[in-house]
Each structure stands twice: as C-alpha cells, then as structure tokens.
Amino acid sequence: MTPEEFRLSGYAVVDWIARYMEELEDYPVLSPARPGEIRARLPPRAPEAGEPLEAMLRDLDEIVLPGVTHWQSPNFFAYFSANASAPAILGDLVSSGLGVQGMLWATSPAATELETHVLDWLVEMLDLPEEFSSRSSGGGVIQDTASSAALCALLAARERVSDFQINQRGVDRPLVAYASAQAHSSIEKAVKVAGIGRENLTLIDVDERYAMRPQALVEAIRADKEVGRIPFFVAATVGTTSSSAIDPLKAIGEICRGHHLWLHVDAAYAGSAAVCPELRFIHDGVELATSYCFNPHKWLLTNFDCDVFYVADRATLIRTLSVLPEYLKNRATESGAVLDYRDWHVPLGRRFRALKLWFVIRHYGVEGLRRHIRRHVALAKEFATWVEEDARFELAAPVPLSLVCFRHVGGDEVNQRLMDRLNASGEIYLTHTKLDDKLTLRLAICGTYTEHRHVEQAWRLIREAAAMGHPEPTGPGKAEPGQ
Ligand code: PLP
C-alpha cells in the first residue's frame, strides 16, 4: 500500500469508524452471536490473492459487527467500561503510524520521555504523592493492565523482602501476601504467577461496606509471623470490582509501615475520579503506598489498553525486572541518564501508548476530564435514589462513585431472570456480582457516551422487566425516574 493509497483507505476506515460512532445506539448492546457463529461465516483458508479494502469493510459490517458486544454503547453498564474516545483513537493511530518499539530510551527517546512527562502530569492531576513523580525517587510507567501492574508490584516486593535473592535462587521461604476478600482476582493470579502460591494469599475479612478490616489484617499478620511465615505484600483496593468499596488506606498503610510490608494500591477503576478535588477522599492515605495503579482505559477516556503504574522507589522495581543482554547494551543506558522502560514491566517490547493519553489530556483538558467523571457520579447518585424509592428494589452497597449495586428484593432467581431478560433485549447490558452471598446487579455508569437519558431508560427497562414477573406495588412514595 503506497502512502497515497493509505491516505485514501485511511479516510475510508475513519469514515467507517465515525459512522459506527453515530450508529452505536442502534446495535444490540450484548452480541446475540452463538458460539462458533462468527467463525462459520469466515472462509476456511486465508486468501491467496490480496483483496480490496471494500471487501474488508463489507465483512466488518456483515460478519464482525453482529459478533461485537458494543462496549462503547451508551447503554453498556456492565463490568467497568473500557472508555474509548476520538482523541485517544487518533493518538493510537499515530502510534501505529510511527510504529516505534520503545523498549529502551535509545530505541525512541520521545516514546520514553513523553511517557515519563505525561505520567508526571497525572501525578499532579490526581494529586498523588510526590514520590510517584519521576523527579523524585519513584516514577510511573504505562502497563497494559492492572493485572500486570499487580504482578510487577508483587515481584518487586518479593525481591525486596529477600534482599534481592529470589530472582537468582527461586522462592525458598514461606512468603505470605494479603488482600481483602473483595480484591480483584488479578491479585490471586499475580500470586500464582509469581510462585508465591495461592495458599499463601490470605484474604482479609471486610466490614459492612465491603472494605478491608485493618484489625483483621493485623491479626492475620501476627498469626502468620507466629508460625514462621514471612508477610511481605498487601494489596489494598480503591474501588473494588464488586461494589466500588474503598479500603482504608491510612490504617492499612500504617500497618504496612510497622511491619515493613509493600503496600500496593489497586485503583483500576476508581483512580480516575481523583481528577476531581472533591473526590480525592478515595485516596486518603495513598501517601503510604509503595506502589499504585489505575486504568485510564476504564474511566479516563483513553482507549484500551492503558494502565498507569507508579512506584515510590523506582530503584527496587528496576533491580527486580532488569536483565541486560549484550545485544541491548547502548551508551544512553550506560550513562545512567535515561529511563529504559523495559526494566519496569514484564515484556521487553512496548508500544508508544503515551501518545493516546497525551492526546486525551490535551484535547479535553483537566477540566473536561473532571466534567466526564462528575457527570457519571451525579447520574449514579440519581439512579441510587430511584432504587431507594421503589419498594421492589434495594441498594446493596454504598455508592461512593459511579457504580450502583442493587437488587430486586425477590431473591436470586428473580434477579437472575431480570438480568437475563434485560440483556437479551439488546437495549441495555448489565452484569452481576454476589454480595453477602446474594445475587446483586451492578450498573456501572462510566461510558464515554452515557448521558442522563440512557440512565433514565435503563431504570425504565429495569422496572418494566421487573413488572413482567411481579406486579408493580401500589401506594404512596413510588416515584418515576427523574421526579
Ligand atoms: N482491579 C480492579 C479493582 C478491577 O476492577 C479490575 C477490572 O475490572 C482489575 C483490577 C483488572 O483490570 P485489568 O483488566 O486492567 O487487569
């Protein structure tokens, strides 16, 4: 494809994406495809001769789109969203266009320096501890996901507690890690991948708000020490997946300091909220964290994948993950004057992901990003009041940000049927969790294009679906949405 052909094809692809954005609301949110249905429509063999772009665009419409669950639909309320935005798409396109592989500073100085700089901007934008800034002892790096960030934190903690012996000799001591019983499964996965062993991850009890009980953590650490186990790592969550609970970082951080434990804070979803000064209570105590991550790809308008991972002491992370073969040696690395991000995560190669974050921050400005977050938080609070006012439903957890956990009072089967009915309608997509062993519906309001009318419609659909199985209660105090 010549540059001129690329130009024309590129316009056609951008047109296709723009049309998709315009039509997003018309598609069934959850793909109705059955297993194998999409593959069955694809040719069994790769084409021998090249095909024109028109053929690919046609197949995108006819084969691919029916098998897409529309994560960018304003009616997508499942999981936590994966925010895409036009500026991020353009930044990503530039990254593809440049095609650089920024494993070392020397392999593309701008890829490293722009990333360092934008991540320092974010420290200020979220009012994170100064130690996380590259100007201080720490620094930030873009990882693919929060799962990778947790793994890197755990590996660095494992090295630190063993005086940097485990990388060389393997795990030869009974290390033990802690997270709340509501922590994301990525912590369990990291513990398994790092060879710590699932048995050596202790899940700490939570309180009535689903946040870790610091006293239970103290007791678990004491009990483990008494039997000769070596506590080394605590993962605290700001905004748990099930209910957006916020672990008390200050109390947990002080316990970690007292026992010399690594405190990793997983704020994958919720961290973005800290662009708003009035929501920074979520980070109360984060200055005690050894590492921290959040996902701009969840709630800060930056296309997947983009997790931002900070450490307060970069030397420990680098020492943990650095391996320097002859073929990567270069003068810039040897000078000690540059950062080589290959030493900050598991893969060697890395894309120029900072571009999309840079485009997003520059396009929206900090004020625009705050508006994005505030809109969702206000919508969630409003939705929560509608739930409270309907006798058939109850809130299942506090709503500190933009996730509403609620359930029909009729029990698990009723909630399961309700959710299946709603998701099969194609008009809305929401998912569930279990809280106190009860099936709970989650309405995560964090989509790029989600507005008041979508949330209002969601509530109408939920009420209608509930009424299909259960008659509407009569009597005073039952408000319509928005009243
Ligand atoms: N941590 C929390 C609190 C999450 O909610 C999630 C995903 O929803 C993750 C970690 C995992 O995210 P990722 O897909 O970036 O690994």
Side-chain angles (χ1 to χ4, degrees):
M1 196 181 270
T2 65
E4 184 50 24
E5 285 167 339
F6 171 76
R7 184 172 286 123
L8 294 175
S9 303
Y11 292 153
V13 170
V14 170
D15 276 345
W16 187 91
I17 297 172
R19 198 204 67 207
Y20 174 68
M21 288 168 167
E22 285 163 356
E23 294 175 352
L24 250 178
E25 258 179 85
D26 303 336
Y27 295 103
V29 192
L30 176 64
S31 166
R34 288 181 302 279
E37 190 180 327
I38 306 303
R39 278 199 76 175
R41 302 184 64 189
L42 295 167
R45 293 219 165 68
E48 203 60 43
E51 296 182 75
L53 180 75
E54 296 73 45
M56 294 170 226
L57 294 181
R58 190 188 58 236
D59 287 352
L60 279 177
D61 282 325
E62 293 175 5
I63 302 177
V64 175
L65 278 185
V68 168
T69 287
H70 299 281
W71 279 70
Q72 303 312 318
S73 165
N75 299 312
F76 182 100
F77 298 101
Y79 310 106
F80 287 126
S81 60
N83 274 186
S85 73
I89 294 168
L90 296 175
D92 231 2
L93 186 60
V94 176
S95 169
S96 294
L98 292 175
V100 304
Q101 205 275 58
M103 58 187 172
L104 301 166
W105 177 90
T107 61
S108 203
T112 295
E113 294 196 12
L114 186 70
E115 182 162 330
T116 307
H117 201 72
V118 169
L119 268 49
D120 280 353
W121 277 1
L122 278 171
V123 168
E124 206 178 295
M125 286 165 61
L126 272 64
D127 197 24
L128 290 171
E130 185 51 30
E131 283 98 321
F132 291 168
S133 155
S134 71
R135 296 187 193 92
S136 164
S137 54
V141 61
I142 299 179
Q143 304 256 353
D144 52 5
T145 61
S147 303
S148 296
L151 175 62
C152 290
L154 194 89
L155 293 173
R158 197 187 71 172
E159 283 310 289
R160 193 179 76 165
V161 76
S162 70
D163 288 329
F164 298 88
Q165 294 300 309
I166 286 179
N167 268 351
Q168 200 59 27
R169 299 191 186 145
V171 182
D172 60 354
R173 41 182 77 197
L175 299 179
V176 53
Y178 307 85
S180 97
Q182 293 283 317
H184 188 263
S185 56
S186 52
I187 306 298
E188 178 182 339
K189 193 182 252 188
V191 160
K192 289 178 176 174
V193 173
I196 301 301
R198 173 63 188 84
E199 282 181 3
N200 300 315
L201 170 65
T202 303
L203 296 182
I204 305 297
D205 202 11
V206 294
D207 63 19
E208 65 294 341
R209 300 169 76 87
Y210 307 104
M212 189 192 288
R213 286 183 194 277
Q215 191 51 34
L217 176 64
V218 170
E219 284 159 20
I221 292 169
R222 195 177 301 136
D224 282 327
K225 282 189 165 176
E226 269 169 25
V227 295
R229 297 168 97 201
I230 303 169
F232 78 110
F233 178 84
V234 177
T237 312
V238 170
T240 58
T241 317
S242 277
S243 72
S244 72
I246 297 163
D247 287 341
L249 299 185
K250 234 188 183 79
I252 296 169
E254 274 156 15
I255 296 164
C256 289
R257 290 261 158 117
H259 290 273
H260 306 292
L261 309 184
W262 185 291
L263 172 59
H264 175 64
V265 174
D266 172 8
Y269 147 70
S272 299
V275 289
C276 303
E278 73 278 16
L279 297 175
R280 290 191 185 141
F281 65 88
I282 62 169
H283 282 158
D284 197 20
V286 74
E287 65 280 2
L288 299 174
T290 326
S291 58
Y292 167 91
C293 79
F294 83 104
N295 290 1
H297 74 228
K298 278 187 166 37
W299 201 14
L300 210 63
L301 294 167
T302 308
N303 283 48
F304 191 87
D305 50 357
C306 184
D307 167 90
V308 173
F309 175 56
Y310 290 103
V311 286
D313 166 27
R314 63 178 174 267
T316 299
L317 181 69
I318 292 170
R319 198 168 159 197
T320 300
L321 296 176
S322 181
V323 184
L324 185 59
E326 185 58 35
Y327 44 79
L328 293 180
K329 288 182 182 162
N330 66 87
R331 283 214 184 86
T333 297
E334 279 155 21
S335 76
V338 301
L339 295 181
D340 289 324
Y341 275 130
R342 72 185 186 96
D343 296 333
W344 293 57
H345 52 43
V346 174
L348 169 63
R350 60 199 325 270
R351 301 196 293 123
F352 197 166
R353 279 182 292 222
L355 278 170
K356 60 187 170 190
L357 200 47
W358 191 49
F359 270 45
V360 163
I361 297 171
R362 294 188 64 183
H363 174 84
Y364 292 100
V366 183
E367 203 42 59
L369 296 174
R370 288 190 188 124
R371 268 199 302 279
H372 170 68
I373 299 285
R374 282 178 181 143
R375 177 164 52 95
H376 293 145
V377 173
L379 288 173
K381 303 266 183 222
E382 194 173 354
F383 185 91
T385 63
W386 300 340
V387 171
E388 282 178 317
E389 287 164 5
D390 189 318
R392 292 169 302 174
F393 291 93
E394 63 185 10
L395 283 181
V399 184
L401 297 168
S402 71
L403 173 68
V404 186
C405 292
F406 67 106
R407 57 174 92 91
H408 193 285
V409 294
D412 284 6
E413 261 181 47
V414 173
N415 282 292
Q416 183 70 52
R417 247 184 292 131
L418 190 61
M419 184 171 70
D420 292 345
R421 197 176 285 155
L422 289 163
N423 291 344
S425 75
E427 293 187 88
I428 174 180
Y429 181 30
L430 75 172
T431 48
H432 77 283
T433 187
K434 279 211 165 173
L435 290 174
D436 294 328
D437 214 27
K438 291 186 201 156
L439 199 129
T440 301
L441 306 178
R442 296 168 73 264
L443 195 89
I445 305 175
C446 33
T448 302
Y449 306 109
T450 302
E451 295 172 12
H452 191 272
R453 67 189 168 90
H454 303 108
V455 178
E456 214 169 43
Q457 171 181 267
W459 182 230
R460 180 177 56 72
L461 292 168
I462 291 164
R463 284 163 58 99
E464 283 171 9
M468 285 167 81
H470 293 260
E472 293 260 352
T474 50
K478 309 299 169 215
E480 285 300 315
Q483 284 185 334

